[in-house]
Amino acid sequence: MSSISEKTVGRLCQYRRYLTELAADGVSSVYSHQIASCTGGSSAQVRRDIMALGYSGSPTKGYIVADLAESIAEYLDAPEGQRVALVGIGNLGRALLAFFANRRPRLSIVAAFDSDASKAGRVIHGCRCYADYDMARVIEKERVAIGIIAVPVEAARRVADDLVAAGVRGLLNFAPAPLEAPKHVYVEDIDVTMSLEKVAFFSRRNAEAGRPATADGSS
Amino acid sequence: MSSISEKTVGRLCQYRRYLTELAADGVSSVYSHQIASCTGGSSAQVRRDIMALGYSGSPTKGYIVADLAESIAEYLDAPEGQRVALVGIGNLGRALLAFFANRRPRLSIVAAFDSDASKAGRVIHGCRCYADYDMARVIEKERVAIGIIAVPVEAARRVADDLVAAGVRGLLNFAPAPLEAPKHVYVEDIDVTMSLEKVAFFSRRNAEAGRPATADGSS
DNA sequence: TAGATTGTTAATCGATTAACAATC
DNA sequence: TAGATTGTTAATCGATTAACAATC
């Protein structure tokens, strides 16, 4: 029930995005093997994930798009919503503000902070900017639950500490530095350098391997 | 030997970063359990990963920082280097250009493209910009092996197809759209929305759970 | 030497997939 | 009905960790 893995939660997010696209196209029902295409997993995996939500499909119609999306939302989303703060209004920070603006009302960036106090008072993509030294006050006032760290690596640890001290319960960290946070704070790292290096490694290895004789499983 | 998993490659990248920091601090040798701190894994995992490289430590001194870093580089890096192109010179693209500028000579962004042709000819963080319609020509001329997709979601699939057609063997995709690429092209997705939703979900669940009685393993 | 660590195998753990009766 | 799909268990697969002799 309550013990759904990180990977499963990730997949549920992907399913939801896929369902949103289907709904926009006017599709009303969908089969597990169709959903599977959006993650590269198997249809059995999709059925298991959906089963864990407590939602049921029908052998003839599959799953009702709107109802399944509703079930996923019920499971993933906080009914009262969760408010997010961004720290670091550089190019990355601005990209994130643009990206999340008006995307999900229940998960919106309500404050942005920067060490450059001259940015305070501006409104970027609908989000108000503050100076770093206002962090504790604003985060409490705005009831912020989640912090996004988009500052240079040297500042990341200090910013993380400040956010945690201010009461944030989750961190999304773009800085290439491992953060130390108390157990009750969930930390997710997005490590762009690592991802690029992985692409570099595997693209090279694929190229060196040429066309593998058994690539399609035949001998 | 050649069958190292994706996860292991990711960890090797993290080990390397940690070793670089140690070297900068003048540390010359390190134990597996110290290296483990940078990934949250176990010391046995670190030892297994290093063993797979063919590098050996000593029971008394542990691993020599410089030599281990060299072994990792030999395994991960292309000796002749790999050249990268970026598509989409918005805020995200600019952040990536700044981020990778002068970082790794063997993995550098040598060209950036944008559908807004007025950006062509500029040089941003040392990287020359071109119009989209020059993609095939420049990628061949510059011997680009890897493409980074930092365009809006609507354009992502077309850009991916163009990059693959131009001869790129690996893609790092920031757009929230699953890409279809031939098998010889390695695709890594960075899904920012999914990551934020995961933080939202788990930070909420941790908060709701309160302080779990057995959080530290004691009953 | 004594002792902590390495290299390496076996055991464990968890996640994924195969399979199939039940269903509409 | 016939047939494809669902719900669900068992089997498989792979990755992680525990353990320990060998080492310096």
Side-chain angles (χ1 to χ4, degrees):
Chain A
M1 297 279 173
S2 62
S3 60
I4 283 193
S5 76
E6 279 194 42
K7 286 196 178 181
T8 306
V9 171
R11 284 196 301 267
L12 289 176
C13 296
Q14 292 179 279
Y15 300 162
R16 163 148 70 174
R17 178 186 301 147
Y18 180 68
L19 293 170
T20 306
E21 285 170 22
L22 287 183
D25 292 348
V27 179
S28 63
S29 71
V30 63
Y31 296 123
S32 59
H33 63 87
Q34 297 176 291
I35 300 177
S37 68
C38 79
T39 62
S42 68
S43 61
Q45 185 175 63
V46 172
R47 293 204 300 278
R48 258 189 1 119
D49 290 343
I50 292 175
M51 207 184 69
L53 291 175
Y55 180 74
S56 286
S58 118
T60 40
K61 292 202 169 183
Y63 303 96
I64 308 299
V65 170
D67 295 353
L68 177 54
E70 170 79 22
S71 282
I72 294 177
E74 239 168 60
Y75 184 77
L76 290 182
D77 296 346
E80 70 284 6
Q82 281 164 291
R83 298 159 74 84
V84 183
L86 169 80
V87 187
I89 316 177
N91 279 313
L92 176 59
R94 264 184 276 255
L96 293 169
L97 286 175
F99 195 75
F100 288 114
N102 310 314
R103 192 66 60 104
R104 243 180 229 307
R106 284 186 181 175
L107 193 59
S108 60
I109 303 181
V110 297
F113 300 92
D114 200 283
S115 57
D116 175 3
S118 74
K119 289 178 182 161
R122 284 199 225 170
V123 174
I124 301 179
H125 295 293
C127 175
R128 182 161 294 275
C129 301
Y130 303 88
D132 266 0
Y133 54 71
D134 255 354
M135 208 182 285
R137 182 183 67 80
V138 175
I139 281 180
E140 181 170 358
K141 192 188 114 206
E142 292 283 353
R143 304 187 313 283
V144 167
I146 294 164
I148 301 178
I149 299 177
V151 299
V153 61
E154 318 83 63
R157 269 167 236 208
R158 185 181 46 71
V159 165
D161 292 343
D162 291 350
L163 284 166
V164 169
V168 152
R169 308 299 297 252
L171 293 172
L172 180 59
N173 175 38
F174 283 88
L179 302 180
E180 282 159 31
K183 276 184 191 161
H184 68 274
V185 176
Y186 182 87
V187 180
E188 171 101 4
D189 293 295
I190 292 188
D191 191 331
V192 177
T193 306
M194 191 185 82
S195 296
L196 184 62
E197 289 183 340
K198 276 173 72 179
V199 175
F201 178 80
F202 286 106
S203 64
R204 180 163 78 102
R205 224 180 49 161
N206 290 351
E208 278 176 359
R211 344 173 186 106
T214 57
D216 59 353
S218 67
S219 53
Chain B
M1 295 284 175
S2 62
S3 60
I4 283 192
S5 76
E6 279 194 41
K7 287 195 177 181
T8 306
V9 170
R11 285 197 301 267
L12 289 176
C13 296
Q14 291 179 279
Y15 299 162
R16 163 148 71 174
R17 178 188 298 148
Y18 179 69
L19 293 170
T20 307
E21 284 170 24
L22 288 183
D25 291 348
V27 178
S28 63
S29 71
V30 63
Y31 296 123
S32 59
H33 63 85
Q34 296 176 290
I35 300 177
S37 69
C38 78
T39 61
S42 69
S43 61
Q45 186 176 63
V46 172
R47 294 205 298 280
R48 259 191 359 122
D49 290 344
I50 292 176
M51 207 184 70
L53 291 176
Y55 181 72
S56 287
S58 117
T60 41
K61 292 200 168 183
Y63 303 96
I64 309 299
V65 170
D67 295 353
L68 178 54
E70 169 80 21
S71 281
I72 294 176
E74 237 168 61
Y75 184 78
L76 290 183
D77 296 345
E80 70 285 5
Q82 280 165 291
R83 299 160 73 84
V84 183
L86 169 80
V87 187
I89 316 178
N91 278 313
L92 175 60
R94 264 184 277 256
L96 293 169
L97 287 175
F99 194 75
F100 287 114
N102 308 315
R103 191 66 59 103
R104 241 179 232 307
R106 284 185 180 175
L107 194 59
S108 61
I109 302 182
V110 296
F113 299 92
D114 201 282
S115 58
D116 174 3
S118 73
K119 289 179 183 160
R122 283 201 225 170
V123 175
I124 301 179
H125 296 294
C127 176
R128 182 161 294 276
C129 301
Y130 302 87
D132 266 1
Y133 54 70
D134 255 353
M135 206 182 288
R137 184 183 66 82
V138 175
I139 280 181
E140 181 171 358
K141 192 187 113 207
E142 293 283 352
R143 304 187 312 282
V144 167
I146 295 165
I148 302 178
I149 299 176
V151 299
V153 62
E154 316 85 62
R157 268 166 237 208
R158 186 181 44 73
V159 166
D161 291 343
D162 290 351
L163 284 167
V164 168
V168 152
R169 308 299 294 253
L171 292 173
L172 180 59
N173 175 38
F174 283 87
L179 302 180
E180 282 160 31
K183 275 184 193 162
H184 69 273
V185 175
Y186 181 87
V187 179
E188 171 100 7
D189 294 295
I190 290 188
D191 190 331
V192 177
T193 306
M194 191 185 83
S195 296
L196 184 62
E197 288 182 343
K198 276 173 71 178
V199 174
F201 178 79
F202 286 105
S203 64
R204 179 162 79 102
R205 224 181 48 162
N206 290 351
E208 278 176 359
R211 340 172 189 108
T214 56
D216 58 354
S218 68
S219 55

